[in-house]
Amino acid sequence: GSADGLALPRSPSFATAHRAPRKGVNVSEEGPRAAALADSPSSDRDPNDVNVNDDDRKRLLLPATALLSLSLVSLAALAQILPGPPIDATGPPPFWGTAPLGLLSPSVSCGPYAPSLVLRDASSACVCIAGATFFVGAITRPAGTGRIDPRDSRKVIHTLSAPLFIVLWPLFSDAYGARAFASVVPALNALRLYLAGTGGGDDGDRSSSSESELARAISRSGDARESLGGPFIYVMVLLFSTLFFWRDSPVGVVSLATMACGDGLADLVGRRLGSSNRWFFNRSKSMAGSAAFVAGSFVASFGLISWLTRTGAMDALGLSSFELAGRLLAIAVVCAGVELIPVGDDNYSVPISAAFLSAFLLS
Ligand SMILES: C/C(=C\COP(=O)(O)O)CCC[C@H](C)CCC[C@H](C)CCCC(C)C
Ligand SMILES: Nc1ccn([C@@H]2O[C@H](COP(=O)(O)OP(=O)(O)O)[C@@H](O)[C@H]2O)c(=O)n1
């Protein structure tokens, strides 16, 4: 087995050190690790066993982490450490009422977390985990075989992941602690990106593990470590918003919709239609991209808020559809402007701006 474990970054020599020595080549040319393997009493063992064990461990790590985290959250709910459904709540908790300690001491009084609700929330989290695995796999596999350009697969995943997750939020119960179950979904994907970013891709590792496939599908340069940049920030924003805003207020929903659909469509459309209409102050971005940003952000925010209020997952906002549309359009336009500022990463500048604007305009 490998003493490197799962979490250590692979240096370019990692793959070489784990490959079988080439026929007719002195083992010393293969590096000290391979030489040590060849010199060891078990040198008749196939050195590829190291990869097999490593891959086996990797394959088990995500399901084992999912099982462990869902069991721990379920136990916390059954032990009534997590609050159950709010009692006599007349409206959503005030802004920041749920954060940062709101999960454990919510601003509204809550009833017990009944076992049936625990079962419902654990099952809903499983559905989302399976959905995320299926969805990401459906995009990364064709990208791995070159049928989709990695830039497009990255942005399709970027555009659809957060909205699809939010569409499934009504599956969860109205228990206050349901957000802890839902948070397991982005947390697991953060771990998956970490494994993808530290587990190879730029070092000649053509492994078909789903993490390597993911790293290749979302890398623009071919460097697997890109998974630890924008994609990791995206998933952390999703985790933060699920845990602290959840579906109690439109703040989290609007910031996620803007980050996902606004920024994602700006790239997908801008790269195709933007070459002739670049902004004069930022030649790398286009008016077509910004128009797609506004349209994507507005439609996703309006659609997701309507979906959540219609299913009863979110309390009505007390605004007419016309008022809501006007305010969401204003948020989308300002955030499209923020996306044009060439400072920082728009995976946090855009959702933070959208959160402040929607706290002001919608809460
Ligand atoms: C590729 C991503 C961001 C890149 O941003 P940028 O730097 O190009 O601006 C997003 C990565 C998303 C991640 C791989 C998967 C996230 C899944 C999500 C937590 C749950 C989706 C559930 C649903 C049911 C499909
Ligand atoms: N407002 C925008 C945003 C992006 N784009 C296009 O999308 C490409 C990538 O945009 P970006 O630098 O914001 O990419 P990310 O850092 O968000 O992945 C740009 O080079 C443009 O071709 C655009 O045309 N207009």
Side-chain angles (χ1 to χ4, degrees):
S2 164
D4 292 317
L6 293 169
L8 286 181
R10 284 187 186 183
S11 66
S13 61
F14 183 97
T16 320
H18 286 71
R19 235 177 267 135
R22 290 189 300 271
K23 271 201 177 118
V25 175
N26 188 317
V27 284
S28 62
E29 285 173 30
E30 296 286 346
R33 181 73 180 269
L37 272 173
D39 289 343
S40 75
S42 55
S43 59
D44 52 339
R45 194 184 52 199
D46 181 356
N48 284 321
D49 286 352
V50 174
N51 276 343
V52 172
N53 288 341
D54 218 26
D55 278 357
D56 279 352
R57 274 202 239 161
K58 237 185 201 181
R59 249 191 293 276
L60 280 179
L61 186 66
L62 280 165
T65 310
L67 195 67
L68 182 69
S69 40
L70 282 180
S71 308
L72 288 176
V73 178
S74 301
L75 283 176
L78 289 170
Q80 308 302 322
I81 295 170
L82 291 177
I87 304 168
D88 296 336
T90 48
F95 181 57
W96 288 120
T98 60
L101 295 173
L103 182 60
L104 295 179
S105 73
S107 56
V108 287
S109 53
C110 292
Y113 215 132
S116 59
L117 299 183
V118 176
L119 186 64
R120 173 173 170 180
D121 291 336
S123 316
S124 306
C126 288
V127 169
C128 293
I129 292 167
T133 310
F134 175 79
F135 166 70
V136 174
I139 313 283
T140 53
R141 243 166 268 126
T145 56
R147 273 183 288 150
I148 304 183
D149 176 346
R151 281 203 74 107
D152 288 341
S153 54
R154 178 185 178 113
K155 287 299 178 180
V156 171
I157 294 176
H158 180 118
T159 304
L160 294 178
S161 291
L164 286 175
F165 184 39
I166 296 171
V167 161
L168 294 181
W169 282 2
L171 290 178
F172 291 86
S173 76
D174 60 349
Y176 213 87
R179 69 200 70 204
F181 285 91
S183 300
V184 170
V185 183
L188 275 180
N189 279 279
L191 174 63
R192 200 173 168 204
L193 286 169
Y194 178 76
L195 292 176
T198 56
D202 61 332
D203 55 5
D205 177 0
R206 305 315 291 168
S207 155
S208 63
S209 80
S210 64
E211 279 66 54
S212 305
E213 262 176 13
L214 176 62
R216 285 196 287 273
I218 60 177
S219 162
R220 288 173 243 187
S221 65
D223 186 341
R225 282 166 295 190
E226 272 187 41
S227 309
L228 303 175
F232 196 78
I233 298 174
Y234 178 103
V235 172
M236 293 314 282
V237 169
L238 202 46
L239 174 63
F240 179 88
S241 182
T242 307
L243 206 49
F244 294 132
F245 294 112
W246 186 222
R247 54 195 203 195
D248 297 333
S249 81
V251 173
V253 175
V254 172
S255 45
L256 291 178
T258 308
M259 169 185 74
C261 297
D263 192 40
L265 287 178
D267 178 289
L268 286 167
V269 174
R271 272 189 295 115
R272 284 166 175 82
L273 304 177
S275 52
S276 59
N277 48 73
R278 300 275 164 195
W279 286 103
F280 64 92
F281 54 89
N282 185 346
R283 304 298 297 167
S284 71
K285 312 245 169 159
S286 64
M287 293 177 194
S290 298
F293 185 113
V294 174
S297 163
F298 169 74
V299 170
S301 302
F302 191 85
L304 288 169
I305 289 178
S306 305
W307 167 249
L308 291 176
T309 49
R310 237 167 244 191
T311 52
M314 182 188 278
D315 289 318
L317 299 182
L319 297 171
S320 70
S321 297
F322 191 70
E323 279 174 321
L324 176 63
R327 293 176 193 205
L328 290 176
L329 190 59
I331 294 171
V333 170
V334 176
C335 289
V338 170
E339 196 261 346
L340 294 173
I341 302 170
V343 176
D345 189 308
D346 40 28
N347 286 309
Y348 59 78
S349 60
V350 165
I352 289 175
S353 312
F356 277 108
L357 287 166
S358 38
F360 180 64
L361 290 173
L362 303 176
S363 286

